[in-house]
Amino acid sequence: MLTRLFPWLNQGMAVLRKDLRIEFRTRYAYSALVMFAVTTLVTVSFSVGGFAPDTDIAAALLWIILFFSAMAGLSRTFVHEEETGTVIALKLAAEPEPVYLGKYFFNVALLFSLSILVVPMFLVMLNLDIAMPVAFVAIVFLGSLGLAGASTILAAIVAKAGAKGSLLTVLAFPILLPLLIGAISGTRSTMSGVSMELVTPDLGLLFFYNGIAVVASLLLFEYVWND
Amino acid sequence: MIWQIILGIWMTVVIVASFLYMPATQGLGETGRIIVYHVPAAWIAVLAYLMAMVNAIGYLRKKDIRLDRQAQINAELGTIFCILATVTGAIWSKGAWGWYWNWDPRQTSIFVLLLIYGAYFVLRSSITDSDTRARLSAVYAILAFITVPFLVFVIPRVYSSLHPDLINIPQRSLDMDRKMLHVFLSSLAGFTGLYVWMYKVQMRLENLLYKQAMKREG
């Protein structure tokens, strides 16, 4: 199994390098993502005003911002391939699974760099204290990973369906909801600092959701990718 | 024809028995009678969605467009029964909890189930080419069904729910009295028959429409 997985990983890294290089040249996806997140964040902060919202609302707001920002930027990789017509060359160059892995890594990188920027900003602007910082970081980490994991294959579906504007959000929301429920509940618990016992089921849910999303995507991606 | 008549009589008997033969449940009182309709509807919804996924997998393996139509019909029937389960659940919830809707984990999960298949139909209607539509919607149906266990089985157990459980896990038994079990199982059989019949009617209609479309194209 590992010997079969290693060439996939190598080729996946090659796809990732290619996508990163394109991204560094145009910076389109990242700028769109960051600007979207910052705009929503400022709107939220502005409308909430001077008082700090309680943890229930703050946790939900954080994940709403992350979810919709992700939806704004994640379909970009596949749509770009379709628009420029490079999709045929990529099909010739690599198997479907490495392509999926490369795009998945790229989306993970995109979302992590977004979270690193947006989450501290969110905490500062809404004046929030985190009672359990390590668990909080773990929840945000697993949550962002899951957002990328389930959205990547959906982005490919949307690109094949002709990149209809809001289709990705419609398709992704119900599939991502178990993840969002877990992430919001975990964020709430870590912010208000209840015992670790209450956070563990959320971490477990996020962990297994990630595993299932990636395995299912790897199995199914071939059918989306090849016409 | 004979089967439809038997089915009609069967369901009538189940409805009458659910009010006259079956005793009121312990703890839930008269509202507990809804178990005869609510649980079978939910069961058929899951069954139809499962069949939709099996058809979707079959389509991806064999590329037979008929399987795509079967998947669509199953998804439609599943959605009808899912709506029935949601509505009966909300009515029961009003009687037992005092609210039609209070985002209990069970209500959340069934609502998301409806959202998933709503998105599935949106995806189908957004693609014009029938082969692409069949392929992409099959992938989405499988992805969606993989998250269903999270919604139906994991979330209500991880987060505490007020929803009554039929199967008593510690005692490994069904919490039901004998008369109630009779009516409940008959209702389950009746609903399954209803589903099979509806599926056949829909399938015949879709096949006729398909033939007509083929003829028009020449």
Side-chain angles (χ1 to χ4, degrees):
Chain A
M1 188 62 205
L2 270 175
T3 46
R4 267 188 63 203
L5 209 69
F6 273 124
W8 280 7
L9 276 180
N10 282 336
Q11 293 170 28
M13 291 313 274
V15 174
L16 171 68
R17 273 197 297 278
K18 171 197 82 83
D19 277 340
L20 282 178
R21 193 173 300 146
I22 295 174
E23 185 52 35
F24 276 122
R25 283 182 189 157
T26 61
R27 294 186 203 84
Y28 176 76
Y30 189 64
S31 333
L33 219 68
V34 167
M35 280 317 291
F36 193 96
V38 170
T39 318
T40 359
L41 178 57
V42 169
T43 316
V44 165
S45 166
F46 193 69
S47 54
V48 168
F51 65 92
D54 62 8
T55 50
D56 281 17
I57 296 172
L61 284 176
L62 176 64
W63 284 100
I64 290 171
I65 293 171
L66 285 179
F67 170 73
F68 280 104
S69 318
M71 292 304 106
L74 289 192
S75 63
R76 181 65 196 160
T77 46
F78 284 107
V79 173
H80 182 77
E81 303 274 2
E82 297 276 341
E83 274 173 358
T84 52
T86 48
V87 62
I88 300 165
L90 191 56
K91 261 180 208 166
L92 285 174
E95 299 271 302
E97 288 83 4
V99 173
Y100 169 76
L101 282 179
K103 301 284 184 191
Y104 169 61
F105 293 150
F106 178 72
N107 281 343
V108 168
L110 213 57
L111 268 184
F112 277 176
S113 49
L114 178 81
S115 308
I116 288 171
L117 187 74
V118 167
V119 175
M121 258 179 92
F122 180 82
L123 297 179
V124 169
M125 288 187 100
L126 293 187
N127 197 21
L128 293 162
D129 291 321
I130 302 296
M132 300 158 73
V134 179
F136 176 77
V137 170
I139 293 270
V140 172
F141 174 82
L142 284 175
S144 312
L145 202 65
L147 277 179
S151 317
T152 304
I153 191 167
L154 295 174
I157 291 179
V158 170
K160 292 280 175 196
K164 311 274 190 319
S166 55
L167 194 58
L168 180 63
T169 319
V170 172
L171 293 185
F173 180 68
I175 292 202
L176 284 173
L177 206 78
L179 176 91
L180 288 175
I181 292 176
I184 290 174
S185 145
T187 310
R188 189 190 300 150
S189 318
T190 48
M191 274 179 176
S192 58
V194 289
S195 66
M196 195 61 205
E197 273 166 40
L198 279 170
V199 185
T200 319
D202 293 322
L203 280 172
L205 182 81
L206 293 182
F207 183 78
F208 287 113
Y209 184 91
N210 267 299
I212 286 177
V214 172
V215 170
S217 302
L218 269 178
L219 289 173
L220 289 169
F221 186 71
E222 186 193 337
Y223 298 104
V224 181
W225 189 239
N226 296 330
D227 304 274
Chain B
M1 191 61 201
I2 185 81
W3 286 107
Q4 279 92 309
I5 295 171
I6 293 174
L7 190 62
I9 296 169
W10 182 275
M11 288 305 280
T12 316
V13 170
V14 167
I15 292 169
V16 172
S18 76
F19 289 103
L20 299 180
Y21 173 71
M22 197 173 104
T25 45
Q26 277 184 339
L28 295 173
E30 298 291 338
T31 61
R33 292 186 198 279
I34 209 160
I35 193 179
V36 177
Y37 311 101
H38 174 69
V39 179
W43 145 252
I44 295 297
V46 172
L47 180 72
Y49 286 150
L50 180 71
M51 289 308 294
M53 189 195 67
V54 170
N55 292 332
I57 293 176
Y59 175 80
L60 289 182
R61 292 173 72 107
K62 293 181 197 146
K63 305 283 175 196
D64 181 359
I65 198 75
R66 255 186 322 185
L67 285 166
D68 178 56
R69 261 176 289 149
Q70 289 174 8
Q72 185 196 346
I73 292 168
N74 272 318
E76 283 169 359
L77 289 178
T79 307
I80 292 173
F81 282 99
C82 197
I83 290 173
L84 282 178
T86 314
V87 171
T88 48
I91 293 170
W92 177 82
S93 156
K94 175 73 177 170
W97 301 336
W99 297 78
Y100 283 112
W101 202 265
N102 64 350
W103 293 112
D104 185 82
R106 286 279 179 177
Q107 290 181 325
T108 314
S109 51
I110 203 161
F111 184 73
V112 177
L113 209 55
L114 283 173
L115 270 188
I116 286 179
Y117 284 90
Y120 172 81
F121 295 125
V122 170
L123 178 65
R124 288 192 73 92
S125 60
S126 76
I127 308 168
T128 41
D129 179 56
S130 65
D131 284 330
T132 314
R133 178 172 59 219
R135 198 159 43 83
L136 295 184
S137 58
V139 170
Y140 190 73
I142 296 169
L143 272 182
F145 201 85
I146 290 169
T147 48
V148 165
F150 269 99
L151 297 166
V152 177
F153 300 111
V154 178
I155 287 186
R157 279 174 180 70
V158 174
Y159 304 104
S160 58
S161 166
L162 293 171
H163 193 281
D165 251 330
L166 275 182
I167 301 162
N168 193 332
I169 293 169
Q171 293 172 11
R172 293 172 175 275
S173 63
L174 276 169
D175 281 345
M176 234 189 258
D177 118 351
R178 182 179 289 252
K179 279 182 176 176
M180 192 170 161
L181 196 63
H182 291 161
V183 181
F184 174 70
L185 289 180
S186 324
S187 171
L188 215 54
F191 267 81
T192 312
L194 199 64
Y195 160 68
V196 171
W197 176 52
M198 286 167 87
Y199 176 77
K200 278 187 173 160
V201 172
Q202 275 298 96
M203 200 61 217
R204 225 164 66 201
L205 177 67
E206 286 291 325
N207 281 338
L208 285 174
L209 285 175
Y210 181 71
K211 260 184 207 157
Q212 199 185 30
M214 288 286 106
K215 210 179 270 174
R216 204 179 295 139
E217 280 171 20

